[in-house]
Amino acid sequence: MLKMEDQKLKNKTTIFLILIFLLIVAFIGDIFTGNATISIKEAWSALFGSSGNVIVDEIIRNYRLPKALTAVLAGAALSVSGLLMQTLFRNPLAGPDVLVVSAGAGLGVALLTMFSGTALYPFIQIMGNMGQVVAAIAGATLVLLLILVVSSRIKDSITILVLGMIFGYVASSLITILQSFADPDSLKVFVTWTFGSLGDVTLDEMPILATIVLSGILLTIILQKTLNSLLLGESYALSAGLNIKRARIIIITIAAVITGSVTAFTGPIAFVGVVIPHFARAFFGTVNHRTILPATILMGSILMLICDIVSQIPITNRTLPINAVTAMFGAPMIIWIVLKRKKL
């Protein structure tokens, strides 16, 4: 028995070491990949000194490095948010979009687009790229407050899940209406934002995104015991002395804040939050959050980095929308897991 436990621990450690190695390789690969032809030597020199070429230094330091860091943070945040939602609602299809925070962020950006053709345009222009971020965070915050009010009054988690879907439909309807009134140029800006992009976060903005995401992940780590209790059902959690109402509000707040922040900076990114928790459970053969949580963080970051690498097409000198690439990777993963386990 002891030998079997030691073997399991050894296997788990080996998998984690492999994941860490893959994360490092994917991170370096993302920095070295792009439409601009830059040799590995030049990229390495630009990272740790100077390549002797101002343009190369600018591309590596101020574009590719922040983009790779954003991929790591976004992948980890969305995956953790999906894990929280699947644990809370005990629903295999639950993910960050369940909270309609992404839809709220989209509504905020849509409103900003609507006002771009009005007298408020000079103020919007002054904010530059941060205008979309501020609008998205404001929209996500309003949706979060609405969800918290609902969750404080309703005991059943499934009812909250259904209401969240309804709120999402309402937000999508409002976005469609706003789009119909927007001028073509503003509409193009909004549609481009909905594609998702990891390359819009600057080094100056990175500390804001990193602080929010890392704080959310840290709080999730603290909540591991609570999450494990919820896996056994609310009745068991109540018998164990857990305050379900308070735990639900805390979990929803963490998931909504990190999802809303990532959406604000990168635009909506689908599928990662749904698929990665399943992938982590399938790889490690457990639902214990002490194992699944770090695995989810690593796998989410790796997947996002790989998707970012794939999204860049040197042949056509174009970059695919990151949202489309994550869906292309996510769907086959879900199918593979279902075929292997015969269920979600």
Side-chain angles (χ1 to χ4, degrees):
M1 187 68 179
L2 287 174
K3 287 184 178 180
M4 187 178 295
E5 291 296 324
D6 290 341
Q7 184 61 38
K8 286 183 178 180
L9 181 60
K10 184 178 179 181
N11 291 340
K12 186 188 301 182
T13 303
T14 301
I15 296 175
F16 272 118
L17 289 174
I18 292 173
L19 289 176
I20 293 171
F21 174 75
L22 290 176
L23 177 61
I24 295 171
V25 171
F27 186 84
I28 295 173
D30 196 25
I31 292 176
F32 290 164
T33 304
N35 292 326
T37 304
I38 299 175
S39 67
I40 294 178
K41 182 179 179 181
E42 286 179 319
W44 194 265
S45 299
L47 278 174
F48 298 102
S50 175
S51 65
N53 187 323
V54 177
I55 296 177
V56 171
D57 291 348
E58 178 71 17
I59 292 173
I60 297 297
R61 294 176 187 170
N62 296 326
Y63 180 69
R64 292 189 185 176
L65 179 59
K67 185 161 63 71
L69 290 171
T70 302
V72 171
L73 292 171
L78 295 175
S79 299
V80 168
S81 180
L83 178 63
L84 289 172
M85 292 299 93
Q86 289 173 14
T87 300
L88 177 63
F89 296 115
R90 297 193 300 282
N91 187 314
L93 296 179
D97 291 340
V98 151
L99 295 176
V100 296
V101 174
S102 297
L107 182 58
V109 175
L111 285 169
L112 182 74
T113 303
M114 180 72 177
F115 289 133
S116 294
T118 67
L120 294 175
Y121 178 71
F123 300 100
I124 296 173
Q125 194 175 33
I126 290 173
M127 290 190 292
N129 291 334
M130 282 301 294
Q132 283 188 344
V133 174
V134 172
I137 290 177
T141 301
L142 288 175
V143 170
L144 170 60
L145 293 175
L146 179 62
I147 292 171
L148 289 178
V149 169
V150 171
S151 63
S152 66
R153 293 175 176 271
I154 298 176
K155 295 181 179 181
D156 184 35
S157 296
I158 301 301
T159 303
I160 297 174
L161 178 64
V162 174
L163 288 175
M165 293 173 63
I166 294 173
F167 292 156
Y169 291 137
V170 172
S172 297
S173 299
L174 291 174
I175 290 172
T176 302
I177 293 171
L178 289 171
Q179 284 179 310
S180 67
F181 285 98
D183 63 86
D185 291 336
S186 299
L187 185 59
K188 183 179 180 181
V189 171
F190 176 75
V191 171
T192 301
W193 179 82
T194 61
F195 288 162
S197 174
L198 300 173
D200 294 333
V201 183
T202 65
L203 284 177
D204 291 335
E205 297 167 350
M206 188 64 64
I208 302 173
L209 178 61
T211 299
I212 296 172
V213 170
L214 295 178
S215 297
I217 290 175
L218 178 61
L219 289 173
T220 305
I221 292 172
I222 295 172
L223 288 173
Q224 286 180 106
K225 186 176 179 181
T226 297
L227 294 171
N228 281 334
S229 296
L230 288 172
L231 283 176
L232 300 174
E234 292 188 356
S235 298
Y236 172 83
L238 282 170
S239 66
L242 180 66
N243 187 324
I244 298 292
K245 190 174 181 180
R246 184 176 63 185
R248 181 194 297 158
I249 290 175
I250 292 173
I251 291 171
I252 288 176
T253 301
I254 294 172
V257 169
I258 59 178
T259 300
S261 300
V262 169
T263 303
F265 280 96
T266 68
I269 298 176
F271 243 109
V272 176
V274 176
V275 71
I276 289 298
H278 291 298
F279 214 52
R281 295 186 197 104
F283 254 78
F284 287 89
T286 181
V287 294
N288 190 328
H289 285 80
R290 294 185 184 278
T291 299
I292 297 304
L293 180 56
T296 297
I297 294 169
L298 290 171
M299 288 183 174
S301 299
I302 293 169
L303 176 61
M304 192 63 77
L305 286 166
I306 292 174
C307 289
D308 190 40
I309 292 172
V310 173
S311 71
Q312 300 171 69
I313 314 173
I315 298 175
T316 60
N317 211 24
R318 290 177 180 270
T319 300
L320 292 174
I322 193 68
N323 210 349
V325 179
T326 55
M328 287 167 53
F329 271 80
M333 285 182 175
I334 286 287
I335 294 172
W336 178 79
I337 292 170
V338 171
L339 291 176
K340 183 176 180 181
R341 300 177 60 193
K342 309 299 182 184
K343 62 180 180 178
L344 280 171

